Amino acid sequence: MIPVVRFAPSPTGWLHVGGLRTALYNYLFARQSGGKFILRIEDTDKTRYVPGAVDKLIESLKQMGINYDAGPGKNDDFGPYIQSERLPLYHKEAQRLLENAKAYRCFCSSERLEALRSQQIARGEAPGYDGKCRSISPAESNTLADKEPFVIRLKTPLSGEISFKDIIRGNITVEYSKIDDQVLMKSDGYPTYHLANVVDDHYMEVSHVIRGEEWLPSLPKHLLLYQYLGWNPPLFAHLPLLLNSDRSKLSKRQGDVAVEDYLLNGYLPEALNNYLALLGWNPGTDEEFFSMAQLIELFSLERVNKSGAVFDPVKLKWMNSRYIQQLSPEKITKIVEPFIKNCQLTSEKTAIIVPALQNNIQTLSDMPDEIKKLQTAPQKPNDDEALTLINAGSTRLLFEAFIQECENLQIMTALKFKETMKLVQKRHSIKGKLLWMPIRLALTGEMHGPDLASISAFLDVKEITKRMKAALLWLS
Ligand code: GLU
């Protein structure tokens, strides 16, 4: 049998980077093993319904190149893959649990449960259901069910313990007394996450559950459900938490952790996948750059760490800049297009300047600022080194000679620029720093920056002449 894994998000309207990492690890595992990767939407909490959330989530996964084999819009014999479309199945299994006395109806009011909780907290106890309705007889429960709202709860054994193995965390034992009589069916007729999750993993024939560590405390309840329903559980791997730099749990604020925001801000999917793959998984070498194909080849659950991984936005940005630097001129010119719309460049100018600025940006959204900087005539520089070069004896001659050469040109190209520089150099014996730096300062106001030939081709003859003439006024 082939491995079957799933990514099972609750649609909140956007994809968290932590969710993306879970999806990615499931995807890598499936692709490596020739298995099946399912996207299942866990939308049974009606209070958290967000219109359009599922489409957004699917779109983000698609942009990240994480394609699922079965899921919404890709149905097969095991679907539908949206939990709100599977309610009869959960009812059937909840009914079976009731009939086998593995679950019971609870008629307690929310007021009673609230009061119980406050008392437990005041006594310093862990809050949990006190089992009041466990003793209601099945006949009485059936009669009450016709008149009163109820939930269905898991009947946890009163003593003993449960042991299990997690692929990442090893063997774990939990006493039943620590496990709450979890609500499985809510009074609105919707299952809770716990019931729906187990029922679906069973019927979808999931072989490996790979998910975040925050679900580990739920595992004993899930295993109990498998046992009560007479099913073999899948294998489990709980991934380490993602942390802020102060080691608190990674922020939930959308602005900091939404995948769609990273993409909109000009992070490359390849860079984001590469960075997230390393948050919790250790490739066993010092190598940090991995293509998706390499990740698929190398990934293993055995090399996933137990301890939390710090999400470092600065490192991600650095990695993104390295990915940007690797792009071909054609590729970067194409993908940066939506980011530089407002710069209103012709396609010729875009093709000249974008590759020249490729090494100066960390995200694609930095590009318009870099372009605008070049489009703006510079002020007279005020640092000493720059002023020394501007005031050098040869600079006036240099500028005048350059302006004169420009007058003979229709357009400036990178090649023409280099020829002109050579000419001026030969004719007036100005070379090295004294040749290049004053020209760079006149055109950009800065000592360092992108390739001067490209900048000149970008600015073209008229603008170059204008800037040179303005720079002549800087000379004392
Ligand atoms: N719906 C859960 C979530 O939002 C899924 C947990 C699981 O994978 O079992 O993360």
Side-chain angles (χ1 to χ4, degrees), residues 175-426:
E175 287 169 33
Y176 282 128
S177 62
K178 300 264 182 335
I179 308 174
D180 198 16
D181 280 2
Q182 178 67 52
V183 174
L184 302 175
M185 269 289 173
K186 293 174 278 186
S187 53
D188 63 1
Y190 273 68
T192 56
Y193 151 75
H194 304 278
L195 179 66
N197 188 273
V198 165
V199 168
D200 284 348
D201 281 345
H202 171 71
Y203 281 107
M204 292 174 184
E205 298 185 0
V206 169
S207 63
H208 295 71
V209 169
I210 304 169
R211 63 183 171 194
E213 186 186 326
E214 62 272 34
W215 302 106
L216 189 60
S218 300
L219 185 53
K221 296 172 198 169
H222 296 181
L223 290 169
L224 205 52
L225 276 172
Y226 281 102
Q227 200 181 307
Y228 284 174
L229 290 163
W231 298 334
N232 282 329
L235 299 174
F236 291 90
H238 286 86
L239 308 174
L241 289 179
L242 295 190
L243 307 173
N244 294 310
S245 52
D246 63 0
R247 301 201 74 80
S248 60
K249 196 175 165 194
L250 187 59
S251 151
K252 277 200 186 309
R253 286 205 317 270
Q254 176 170 3
D256 303 331
V257 288
V259 171
E260 62 174 288
D261 289 345
Y262 278 100
L263 295 174
L264 283 173
N265 287 324
Y267 284 78
L268 306 187
E270 295 81 358
L272 193 50
N273 278 332
N274 188 158
Y275 180 67
L276 287 175
L278 296 172
L279 284 193
W281 170 69
N282 162 12
T285 65
D286 289 341
E287 183 53 51
E288 290 192 288
F289 289 90
F290 297 96
S291 66
M292 190 65 113
Q294 288 170 319
L295 290 173
I296 291 172
E297 195 190 318
L298 297 170
F299 180 75
S300 81
L301 285 175
E302 285 67 33
R303 297 201 76 96
V304 173
N305 310 323
K306 286 195 195 61
S307 52
V310 173
F311 180 83
D312 177 358
V314 176
K315 173 102 193 256
L316 170 59
K317 211 175 218 187
W318 167 80
M319 189 167 255
N320 196 57
S321 70
R322 293 288 305 268
Y323 268 86
I324 288 177
Q325 286 164 21
Q326 304 301 318
L327 295 172
S328 69
E330 296 74 26
K331 178 87 197 238
I332 182 153
T333 304
K334 188 165 165 30
I335 63 173
V336 84
E337 222 172 82
F339 295 87
I340 60 169
K341 269 207 191 93
N342 289 339
C343 297
Q344 295 179 324
L345 301 181
T346 61
S347 49
E348 288 80 19
K349 294 256 169 177
T350 306
I352 292 169
I353 206 59
V354 164
L357 291 172
Q358 191 167 353
N359 292 345
N360 290 46
I361 58 170
Q362 290 194 293
T363 68
L364 297 177
S365 60
D366 292 339
M367 189 61 98
D369 280 348
E370 291 296 320
I371 292 176
K372 271 182 208 130
K373 232 163 69 187
L374 288 180
Q375 285 172 325
T376 317
Q379 299 288 318
K380 181 178 178 179
N382 53 19
D383 72 282
D384 290 346
E385 203 187 344
L387 289 175
T388 310
L389 287 159
I390 285 169
N391 291 324
S394 53
T395 301
R396 180 177 300 277
L397 181 62
L398 170 67
F399 286 175
E400 282 169 354
F402 204 92
I403 292 167
Q404 202 177 1
E405 288 307 321
C406 280
E407 270 158 21
N408 302 328
L409 293 175
Q410 295 293 322
I411 57 158
M412 183 62 89
T413 64
L415 189 69
K416 285 249 160 64
F417 173 80
K418 286 178 196 156
E419 284 170 4
T420 310
M421 289 297 267
K422 254 197 205 133
L423 209 87
V424 174
Q425 176 183 359
K426 257 206 195 134

Side-chain angles (χ1 to χ4, degrees), residues 6-12 19 22 26 40-43 48 83 193 197 201 209-212 214-215 222 236 238:
R6 84 302 190 273
F7 175 49
S10 303
T12 56
T22 302
N26 275 283
R40 181 173 75 223
I41 302 297
E42 302 207 325
D43 62 344
R48 290 174 62 196
Q83 287 187 328
Y193 151 75
N197 188 273
D201 281 345
V209 169
I210 304 169
R211 63 183 171 194
E214 62 272 34
W215 302 106
H222 296 181
F236 291 90
H238 286 86

Side-chain angles (χ1 to χ4, degrees), residues 60-72:
S60 292
L61 286 176
K62 196 170 150 200
Q63 284 179 291
M64 292 306 300
I66 299 180
N67 304 316
Y68 50 90
D69 305 309

